[in-house]
Structures are given as C-alpha cells and as structure tokens.
Amino acid sequence: MTTPIEQQNILIEGTGLLTIEDKARFAYFGVNAKILPPYRILNPQNIFIGDRVAIREGAHINAFKDLSFIHDYIEPRYKADFKREEYVYDGRIRFEHTCQIGRFVFMSCTNSITIEDHVVFSERIFVGDNNHGFAHPHVPIMQQPNKRGEPVVIGRGSWIGVGAAILAGVRLGQNTVVGANAVVKSGDYPSHAVIAQPAGEVLYRRHGDDA
C-alpha cells in the first residue's frame, strides 16, 4: 500500500542491500559506494553519493520535495492559515568521495547539505538545514511546514563526534573537529577548529564520604 509521502516523493526503505535499480534512482551512486541496511532514503534523485562513500546501518536521509499532503490533516478552521506551496521544497544532499558515515545518521534537507570529501561521521549524527515551523499557536507542530533551509557545508577531512547536531546555516572549514554531543549553530567556522560542549563537572554531592 502506498503511503501519503510516496504519492509525491520517491522513498527507498528496506532491510536488504540496495539493488541495481535502487542505485539508479540516485542523482549519482558512486563506484564502490554503499549504504548498509536498514535504511530510509527520501528522494534519492536529489541525493549524490560519491565514490567510495560508506554509510552504515540505520541511515535516515531526507531530501524533502513535496510534503503538501500534511496540509490535508490540518483542522478546517486553520487550513487557510497555510498555503500548500509552503510544504514544497527542493532539498539536495551531496556526499563527496571517500566519506565514512557512522550508524543512525539522520539528515533533514529542504535546501542544501554538502558533505565534502574525506569526512568522518561517528554514530547518531544529526544534520539539518531546516527546522519545524511552530509559529501557529493552535496547529500541531508536525502539521506546520518546515522552514526554508539554510545551506550546510561540512568541510573536507572533518570529523564529527558521536551524538553531534549540525544545524541550519553551519559552514565548517576543512579538517574541523566537532566533539561528542556538540550542538553547532548557524555560522562560519574556520578550518582546523575544534568545536565542543563544555566538559562535564561535579554539580554537587548527594551524600558525604561516610554514606
């Protein structure tokens, strides 16, 4: 049975290896590239997978195009507050050659995300060039259109630590290190930078030494 999202988009979702037919749906699927199952790839025709790119298990990669079906779920009294075209995007994701992408990557794109060559992702990385809209006080956030994306670029040779989140408008220079669980907000970051959350510290002790 076709899901609503599949009526206006191409969805590749599975627990087996990508077939030749699956790979042909991508804008480009490189030599010796692989995406290990399970995976969920939305609109592969807008996704470029460079040569020797390896994407590990559990990837959710979303190049959003047409989510106008969401408008149908809004309560009738609020439908006029949104236009269907607000749910239409042209997200494009590009992995340059020789990238290593760890398990459970989640990518959300309504504009442009570029991962330059020789980038390493640890596990559970989020990369998003957009965010949910939440301006309307009465319509559930999941029914409001995503914001228009600000392009994201992760410079060549960079290393993104486990659990990091790369948000809209981030432009990382070359050979940048992003530490574990860091949240990187919009802006230009120089090459060779190290970006990290503050280290853990003792806030207080619940009991004394004699407990």
Side-chain angles (χ1 to χ4, degrees):
M1 180 178 178
T2 301
T3 62
I5 199 168
E6 292 176 275
Q7 294 175 10
Q8 301 296 333
N9 302 271
I10 295 175
L11 177 65
I12 298 178
E13 188 171 25
T15 56
L17 294 174
L18 290 173
T19 65
I20 294 174
E21 291 77 15
D22 291 332
K23 293 177 182 180
R25 292 183 170 189
F26 285 78
Y28 177 76
F29 200 94
V31 176
N32 294 326
K34 61 183 178 183
I35 300 176
L36 296 183
Y39 44 75
R40 185 181 189 277
I41 312 294
L42 186 64
N43 293 313
Q45 73 275 21
N46 280 22
I47 300 173
F48 180 102
I49 306 292
D51 297 342
R52 299 177 301 282
V53 168
I55 299 176
R56 305 298 300 185
E57 298 88 346
H60 279 224
I61 303 175
N62 302 286
F64 291 117
K65 287 188 67 66
D66 191 340
L67 301 182
S68 59
F69 70 90
I70 294 174
H71 190 268
D72 299 334
Y73 296 98
I74 299 175
E75 289 185 54
R77 56 180 169 164
Y78 299 130
K79 278 184 181 291
D81 296 342
F82 299 98
K83 298 178 181 178
R84 293 186 73 87
E85 53 264 33
E86 293 182 76
Y87 297 83
V88 178
Y89 316 97
D90 190 27
R92 296 182 181 272
I93 299 173
R94 186 178 184 92
F95 293 88
E96 298 289 358
H97 67 86
T98 326
C99 291
Q100 297 287 326
I101 308 300
R103 295 186 304 168
F104 309 119
V105 65
F106 189 98
M107 304 183 76
S108 172
C109 180
T110 61
N111 187 341
S112 172
I113 295 174
T114 300
I115 313 299
E116 294 184 349
D117 61 279
H118 291 91
V119 166
V120 175
F121 278 16
S122 300
E123 297 191 351
R124 294 182 283 108
I125 306 300
F126 172 81
V127 183
D129 71 354
N130 67 95
N131 205 347
H132 283 287
F134 49 82
H136 201 289
H138 305 298
V139 174
I141 292 172
M142 68 183 299
Q143 294 176 359
Q144 298 187 42
N146 286 38
K147 296 180 179 179
R148 298 293 165 179
E150 298 177 57
V152 170
V153 177
I154 297 179
R156 73 179 304 268
S158 293
W159 169 31
I160 312 300
V162 63
I166 311 298
L167 305 184
V170 167
R171 293 170 295 277
L172 299 182
Q174 296 182 9
N175 291 330
T176 297
V177 176
V178 175
N181 298 314
V183 177
V184 187
K185 299 180 180 180
S186 178
D188 292 303
Y189 296 82
S191 295
H192 312 293
V194 177
I195 304 164
Q197 297 282 70
E201 61 181 33
V202 176
L203 299 180
Y204 61 92
R205 298 183 67 191
R206 296 179 294 110
H207 303 287
D209 290 333
D210 57 349

